[in-house]
Amino acid sequence: MERGVRRWAVDISEWQPSSQDFSFALSLLPIHNRTPITRFVQMEDRKRALVSRLLQYAIVHEVVGIPYEEIIIKRTLEGKPYLEPGKFVQELPNFNFNTSHHGDYVAVASEPLCLVGLDIVSPVIPWKETVTEFIQNFSSYFSSLEWDNIMTAGNCNDILVEFYRYWCLKEAYVKARGSGLTYGLDKVEFHHHSWTNISVKIDGKAMPEWRFWLSELGKGHLVSLARGHPSSATDSYKKTLKRSDFDEAEYHEGLHLPNVRFFMRNVEQLIQVLCKEVYCIPRIHNTVEIEEKCDEY
């Protein structure tokens, strides 16, 4: 199952496409994926949304081995992306993935059996607000223990980073379950030893079927990973999974797979992966133009 554990990240600040290059990269996606991207006004937001979708298709193609034209990625009512059930891969009994983007980074993580949640944060605050004013807006999402740890972390910068560490983990948990809701997050309480050996309690009950990791991705960006039992998925997301019940031994194997490091990729590499597949798809009419464009990458 280890080949199903992937962690990829892209630094979008290194990609400064011309309008033609951006349009070409966008054209590699299915038509229904393009409108949500072009709705964004700011180019940085468009880049994040585009790269997020390129990562999803690339990871499915490379890990599961599904030809690009056969990949169908949908979203639940809550917005959780999922691979439409199709070919069954025995060694990847419950392949699923999650993406996140903030600041300069866009990333994707995949798991072969467990639920996976991913979140990236860049510890910044809106201008015209102090750290205290900013984080007070979110105080209801933390347990009293977590809030005490945040407020006593040190100076203003220490407090901000501590806030984002907890927030990042809570987001990863929510995204893994596919809920898309932040209600009740004060009952999701994280414990750790210097931000290692991270565990969670829900309503005061320890949840050993979940594992978490928190690290720095680069340039001060924090990234968190959640790995949990498929039975914890929301009803709408559970319907998209191949299996939600596993015996203890099989689940223990999936839960304790190595959590691999993030592998940095660039947009050109993603384009090259998909370009090799796309230019021969019959629905693209000007194959000569596509082949020439692929050669540029």
Side-chain angles (χ1 to χ4, degrees):
M1 287 194 293
E2 289 191 21
R3 79 179 180 93
V5 181
R6 296 291 179 92
R7 314 283 188 253
W8 294 350
V10 174
D11 182 349
I12 63 165
S13 69
E14 297 179 351
W15 187 46
Q16 301 298 327
S18 65
S19 58
Q20 182 181 6
D21 288 339
F22 186 89
S23 296
F24 174 74
L26 186 66
S27 73
L28 298 177
L29 297 174
I31 293 175
H32 69 273
N33 273 256
R34 301 174 195 173
T35 302
I37 295 170
T38 56
R39 275 204 299 257
F40 289 106
V41 176
Q42 299 297 325
M43 175 53 78
E44 290 303 298
D45 293 327
R46 289 188 174 196
K47 284 164 57 176
R48 293 185 188 98
L50 172 58
V51 173
S52 175
R53 284 163 174 78
L54 291 175
L55 280 168
Q56 292 173 43
Y57 281 91
I59 203 168
V60 170
H61 174 62
E62 288 200 7
V63 178
V64 186
I66 301 176
Y68 177 79
E69 66 271 23
E70 297 179 18
I71 297 173
I72 301 176
I73 295 175
K74 295 184 175 181
R75 289 179 178 268
T76 64
L77 292 175
E78 295 84 4
K80 172 82 169 180
Y82 67 92
L83 176 64
E84 185 176 67
K87 298 179 180 178
F88 179 74
V89 182
Q90 186 173 0
E91 62 270 32
L92 306 175
N94 226 22
F95 180 80
N96 69 115
F97 57 88
N98 198 216
T99 60
S100 183
H101 53 76
H102 196 213
D104 288 341
Y105 289 96
V106 184
V108 64
S110 68
E111 286 287 330
L113 184 150
C114 297
L115 300 177
V116 61
L118 168 69
D119 195 56
I120 298 172
V121 293
S122 176
V124 296
I125 58 172
W127 71 299
K128 293 187 178 180
E129 279 190 299
T130 67
V131 169
T132 302
E133 289 171 340
F134 172 68
I135 68 173
Q136 282 291 344
N137 297 320
F138 303 90
S139 60
S140 63
Y141 298 117
F142 298 90
S143 71
S144 57
L145 174 65
E146 291 172 332
W147 192 249
D148 286 343
N149 290 340
I150 291 170
M151 297 305 294
T152 59
N155 61 34
C156 287
N157 185 67
D158 296 331
I159 289 173
L160 183 65
V161 172
E162 194 79 350
F163 162 81
Y164 272 115
R165 284 168 176 157
Y166 279 110
W167 185 259
C168 194
L169 287 165
K170 288 173 184 277
E171 283 283 348
Y173 170 75
V174 167
K175 293 176 70 177
R177 296 185 64 241
S179 66
L181 298 174
T182 55
Y183 176 76
L185 277 186
D186 58 315
K187 301 181 186 301
V188 181
E189 184 178 84
F190 285 94
H191 298 257
H192 62 90
H193 299 286
S194 300
W195 293 107
T196 62
N197 299 319
I198 301 170
S199 61
V200 70
K201 289 183 178 180
I202 311 295
D203 273 329
K205 179 183 177 182
M207 307 294 286
E209 66 270 28
W210 283 86
R211 298 189 70 193
F212 298 88
W213 294 268
L214 180 69
S215 59
E216 186 172 317
L217 191 57
K219 305 182 195 177
H221 292 62
L222 300 172
V223 59
S224 63
L225 260 297
R227 179 187 279 170
H229 201 291
S231 64
S232 299
T234 59
D235 290 340
S236 62
Y237 187 46
K238 195 179 296 183
K239 292 176 182 177
T240 73
L241 302 173
K242 293 186 178 73
R243 295 172 60 191
S244 59
D245 296 317
F246 297 88
D247 62 49
E248 185 176 347
E250 187 176 11
Y251 182 70
H252 185 272
E253 180 185 358
L255 183 64
H256 292 279
L257 287 170
N259 180 47
V260 298
R261 67 178 181 84
F262 276 88
F263 178 70
M264 299 304 299
R265 307 199 72 166
N266 57 49
V267 177
E268 288 75 18
Q269 290 170 331
L270 300 179
I271 289 174
Q272 191 172 44
V273 168
L274 299 181
C275 190
K276 290 178 180 178
E277 291 275 313
V278 170
Y279 72 75
C280 62
I281 297 176
R283 64 183 175 83
I284 295 181
H285 303 293
N286 194 345
T287 55
V288 173
E289 179 183 345
I290 294 295
E291 288 182 24
E292 289 176 352
K293 191 66 179 177
C294 287
D295 289 340
E296 295 178 13
Y297 291 94

